[in-house]
Amino acid sequence: MRVMTGMWSFIKGIGMVIARAYALAKGLRLTLATFFTRPVTIRYPEHKREVAPRWRGVHYFDCNEKGDTRCVACGLCVAVCPSQCIRLVAVELENGERYPETYEINSVRCIYCGLCAEACPVDAIKLGRGYEFVAHRRQDLVLDKERLLANRPGGAP
Amino acid sequence: MVEQVFYWIAFIMTSMTALFAAVMVITRSNPISAAMFLVLNFVSVAILYLLLRFPFIAVIQVMIYAGAIMMLVVFVIMLLNVEEEERRKKIAVSLAQVISVVLVLMLCAQLVVGVGIQKIPGKHGAFTAEQLAEVGDVKAVAQMLFTTYLFPFEIASIILLVGIIGAVILSKKER
Amino acid sequence: MELVYFLIESIVKVVVVFGVLMGAVAYLTLAERKILGRIQVRYGPTRVGPFGLFQPIADGIKAFFKEDLVPAKAHKALFVAAPMISITAAISLFAVIPFGAVIEFFGRKISLVIADLDIGLLYVFAVASLGEYGVVLGGWSGYNKYGLMGALRAAAQMISYEIALALSVMGVLMISGTLNLVEIVQQQAGGHWNAFYHFQFFPFIFYLICALAEINRTPFDMPEAEAELACGFNIEYSSMKFALFFMAEYAHLIAVCAIATTLFLGGWDGPFHLPPTLSWIWFVAKTGVLVYVFIWQRGTFPRLRYDQIMRFGWKFLLPLTLANIFVTGLIMVVRGQ
């Protein structure tokens, strides 16, 4: 009887070893299969990822016929901005229009929520598709009026 | 001629290394340093065996003593974290030390008499150097082990088995 | 005159083997990163040179110009000696590995092995056992708790797996009846490979597993478990000393694969006959495949736990390799050898 149970546990042990070896072999087969698949890496500077249609990138100003900003300095974007990264100094021109004397977006603080673009009554500030803007100093990442205008699609480089 | 010169240079260098290492083993205060010098000693003794044209013993010496046993010694030293021994300032001469010095001197005298003054002929067996080169020393050792000296060989293996079982029982946790 | 020829021949062989080995080690680091990358569905290094082919050179230059730190409380001599022991042992293994058949060169018979020792296999084990000191002392001498943990694990693991490693090749020794690696290869000539013709396939697998544990690679890389020990035994090493450990690991990897090829896969013997001058191609190819398998399994298996490794070595590999000696003896009796 004891011999029988001994034999039985021996056979069970062999079965377990085979099962585990099979599991290891399955893992090896999977990695061998992935070895022969094409890598999914996008090699960045040469190839770039297509951004989503609703992607919110760095801001830009849309311009009017004169090539200046459409912004009327109403201050809605400043009010709505959750991270309070927009600084606006408004002046009144001779023809009575309000005009942004300075308009700065601190792109380091900005969370790219897009609320400023939604709030803008004249569709002046918009979020573009670019995401490659870097600088060595933080001050350089504060976007002023000229840079916002330059950021627009087809704007100055 | 060239081979003779090379042989003597190799012999003197390795034997000097072995002596140097042996002295370092007993004078180092750091146990790991001592252990490593012992390894160096074993390796140089192995080279001496090589110079005697008996590579099997040389390799076994390196494998068992330098490789396995000293590795265990180093392991235990590291595990127990043996501190460096402090140098004793005073040397207290006790009776035991006197006796041990006398014994060592007697041993040295025996060595000098045995090796230097009286020439020991040595027992000539069936395996001379020429025959070993022909048969191969591994085969010669194996043949002796499994024919003439089979019984002591088996006894040694049983003693080792007893040792293993003892170690298992000692290290087994009580249920 | 014969002595001079012998010296020239030996020196040329040593230089060639050393050069090829160092080149192979350098490019093995690149190959490993590339293969692991492919397994993880990405490219490996691609930037330095075409396909990243100059990456090893860049790595070498970087390692060379790093600051060479020695911890204040380290045991200086052993700290410096440990990487040297590692690399010396790893390279010395190649002295007895036969690369190809005997070739004729200006009427002189030259066998493609540096030292045709009668006790070649024992020499391999002896040198390998000395190489363990590199890892153990490297971990201990840096005066770092993680290093010490790595060293302790290395010592225990290597002692345990050395036994199974030696036992796993015992079947081959019984069949060939010699310790001379050249003779072992010659006896496998004509497709009589030990791994298949002589039913040594399972010992071959056991050998590979034990070899993995001996050279401390994943899944047995306990001594340098990054996750728990922060690189373990080489934690305090920087600059060229670290690079030496690194090179030793890869040289060791090539060495165990070459020995496996010699013992189990027929060395320079191939499916179809090549002239003796080109016989080393089979050897290199087989070794390369084994190296690939080692990297492949590294990309597949996770690291084992310490007690699992010990249990696997003592309770699984050791009995099975012992049983293999018995089975091999049985086969030899049945075959009437």
Side-chain angles (χ1 to χ4, degrees):
Chain A
M1 195 58 213
R2 280 188 69 145
V3 175
M4 285 301 285
T5 48
M7 285 292 285
W8 179 237
S9 63
F10 182 70
I11 292 165
K12 261 205 309 200
I14 289 178
M16 204 170 66
V17 167
I18 291 172
R20 288 188 180 172
Y22 178 68
L24 293 178
K26 257 191 348 194
L28 283 172
R29 200 184 63 195
L30 178 75
T31 44
L32 191 67
T34 55
F35 178 75
F36 288 110
T37 52
R38 266 189 88 73
V40 294
T41 314
I42 298 167
R43 282 186 271 188
Y44 166 63
E46 292 93 25
H47 307 101
K48 284 171 190 171
R49 184 185 291 275
E50 284 293 311
V51 296
R54 290 170 62 187
W55 175 262
R56 299 190 296 264
V58 68
H59 313 72
Y60 67 91
F61 263 152
D62 242 0
C63 62
N64 55 16
E65 309 82 61
K66 283 182 284 180
D68 203 356
T69 173
R70 281 202 220 163
C71 178
V72 293
C74 61
L76 279 177
C77 49
V78 181
V80 80
C81 182
S83 57
Q84 298 178 353
C85 63
I86 305 177
R87 194 170 77 88
L88 170 70
V89 178
V91 291
E92 201 157 313
L93 296 178
E94 293 85 49
N95 56 7
E97 282 178 12
R98 282 164 69 88
Y99 181 76
E101 169 87 54
T102 43
Y103 188 95
E104 286 176 0
I105 293 181
N106 188 342
S107 64
V108 184
R109 284 187 67 167
C110 179
I111 58 167
Y112 301 95
C113 61
L115 285 180
C116 49
E118 270 182 51
C120 188
V122 292
D123 286 349
I125 186 83
K126 281 177 182 166
L127 268 67
R129 307 180 65 75
Y131 52 89
E132 298 164 299
F133 59 111
V134 288
H136 287 291
R137 293 178 307 165
R138 284 168 181 244
Q139 291 97 303
D140 296 346
L141 289 168
V142 177
L143 305 169
D144 57 5
K145 214 163 50 181
E146 284 73 37
R147 285 189 60 187
L148 284 168
L149 271 170
N151 274 347
R152 70 180 191 273
Chain B
M1 183 60 206
V2 183
E3 277 180 34
Q4 279 291 315
V5 171
F6 179 77
Y7 177 87
W8 277 105
I9 291 173
F11 173 75
I12 288 169
M13 277 172 68
T14 37
S15 48
M16 283 299 146
T17 315
L19 284 178
F20 167 75
V23 171
M24 292 304 258
V25 170
I26 51 172
T27 51
R28 293 303 91 192
S29 57
N30 187 326
I32 295 260
S33 298
M36 290 329 288
F37 275 113
L38 195 50
V39 171
L40 181 63
N41 186 13
F42 285 148
V43 171
S44 19
V45 170
I47 297 174
L48 287 181
Y49 285 135
L50 268 185
L51 290 175
L52 291 173
R53 294 172 205 282
F54 208 56
F56 177 67
I57 293 292
V59 165
I60 291 296
Q61 163 97 358
V62 172
M63 217 164 106
I64 306 295
Y65 282 100
I69 290 179
M70 284 316 290
M71 181 60 90
L72 276 175
V73 170
V74 168
F75 182 74
V76 170
I77 293 173
M78 284 179 184
L79 204 63
L80 298 180
N81 196 16
V82 181
E83 294 295 317
E84 290 201 10
E85 290 232 355
E86 287 179 18
R87 274 181 205 288
R88 297 189 195 103
K89 293 249 170 65
K90 283 180 195 165
I91 300 172
V93 181
S94 66
L95 187 64
Q97 278 165 329
V98 174
I99 291 173
S100 61
V101 166
V102 170
L103 281 177
V104 167
L105 285 177
M106 276 167 69
L107 195 66
C108 282
Q110 256 182 340
L111 276 175
V112 169
V113 170
V115 178
I117 298 168
Q118 197 185 17
K119 202 169 183 193
I120 297 174
K123 199 176 163 193
H124 282 291
F127 292 100
T128 54
E130 293 78 44
Q131 206 189 340
L132 275 183
E134 199 179 301
V135 183
D137 49 358
V138 184
K139 273 196 180 134
V141 169
Q143 213 153 28
M144 294 297 267
L145 265 188
F146 286 105
T147 53
T148 321
Y149 299 106
L150 183 63
F151 187 62
F153 180 68
E154 293 295 335
I155 283 181
S157 64
I158 284 179
I159 289 172
L160 282 175
L161 184 67
V162 168
I164 292 171
I165 293 170
V168 168
I169 287 170
L170 282 179
S171 62
K172 199 168 183 182
K173 281 177 199 149
E174 298 223 353
R175 291 265 164 87
Chain C
M1 220 47 218
E2 179 61 27
L3 194 66
V4 176
Y5 281 141
F6 174 74
L7 271 180
I8 293 172
E9 184 192 320
S10 297
I11 289 170
V12 167
K13 278 194 282 200
V14 166
V15 168
V16 168
V17 167
F18 185 75
V20 170
L21 176 64
M22 283 296 111
V25 165
Y27 276 91
L28 186 56
T29 61
L30 177 69
E32 168 154 54
R33 290 167 69 181
K34 282 265 184 197
I35 294 170
L36 283 181
R38 284 288 175 155
I39 284 173
Q40 293 157 8
V41 205
R42 57 185 173 84
Y43 304 91
T46 55
R47 290 291 158 192
V48 193
F51 306 106
L53 280 178
F54 299 146
Q55 185 72 40
I57 302 167
D59 288 342
I61 293 170
K62 188 196 86 168
F64 199 75
F65 285 105
K66 285 262 180 180
E67 188 185 356
D68 200 359
L69 284 171
V70 179
K73 283 191 135 184
H75 189 296
K76 302 256 174 356
L78 288 181
F79 189 78
V80 175
M84 296 179 192
I85 295 173
S86 258
I87 189 91
T88 312
I91 294 174
S92 307
L93 286 177
F94 286 88
V96 292
I97 297 172
F99 303 98
V102 179
I103 59 172
E104 291 231 10
F105 192 71
F106 289 123
R108 200 182 145 77
K109 280 192 161 56
I110 296 172
S111 65
L112 292 183
V113 54
I114 294 174
D116 189 359
L117 288 186
D118 272 341
I119 43 154
L121 197 60
L122 282 179
Y123 168 86
V124 165
F125 284 124
V127 170
S129 68
L130 282 185
E132 294 166 10
Y133 282 110
V135 172
V136 174
L137 291 178
W140 175 81
S141 61
Y143 209 82
N144 183 306
K145 58 187 170 216
Y146 296 117
L148 183 63
M149 287 291 288
L152 286 177
R153 286 177 174 194
Q157 178 181 324
M158 284 170 158
I159 292 171
S160 310
Y161 276 80
E162 210 175 45
I163 299 165
L165 184 75
L167 286 176
S168 68
V169 301
M170 219 50 92
V172 171
L173 293 188
M174 289 163 68
I175 289 162
S176 32
T178 174
L179 291 161
N180 188 327
L181 291 176
V182 177
E183 279 177 30
I184 290 176
V185 173
Q186 279 166 353
Q187 288 184 8
Q188 299 176 66
H192 298 308
W193 296 2
N194 280 332
F196 304 109
Y197 184 75
H198 290 296
F199 304 105
Q200 295 294 310
F201 185 71
F202 286 108
F204 174 54
I205 301 292
F206 298 150
Y207 172 87
L208 289 185
I209 295 171
C210 295
L212 271 178
E214 277 292 295
I215 61 177
N216 299 321
R217 283 181 69 82
T218 30
F220 301 106
D221 60 341
M222 271 295 115
E224 52 170 316
E226 291 97 341
E228 319 140 46
L229 293 184
C231 254
F233 70 92
N234 55 28
I235 187 167
E236 292 289 355
Y237 282 93
S238 60
S239 183
M240 276 318 278
K241 294 204 196 85
F242 177 76
L244 280 183
F245 266 130
F246 210 68
M247 281 152 65
E249 184 185 331
Y250 284 94
H252 232 125
L253 172 62
I254 299 176
V256 294
C257 290
I259 294 163
T261 306
T262 309
L263 292 179
F264 294 100
L265 298 182
W268 67 76
D269 179 53
F272 57 86
H273 189 69
L274 281 175
T277 353
L278 294 175
S279 54
W280 51 270
I281 290 177
W282 284 124
F283 177 82
V284 172
K286 283 185 238 176
T287 309
V289 168
L290 285 182
V291 168
Y292 175 80
V293 169
F294 273 31
I295 298 173
W296 172 24
Q297 65 80 29
R298 183 185 174 177
T300 308
F301 300 135
R303 180 164 56 242
L304 273 73
R305 221 170 47 215
Y306 180 67
D307 61 321
Q308 289 170 336
I309 289 180
M310 284 316 213
R311 202 173 58 207
F312 184 66
W314 285 107
K315 291 193 176 172
F316 185 81
L317 285 179
L318 187 63
L320 281 185
T321 44
L322 276 172
N324 170 58
I325 296 175
F326 180 71
V327 171
T328 310
L330 219 60
I331 291 171
M332 284 172 71
V333 167
V334 169
R335 283 187 166 185
Q337 278 171 337

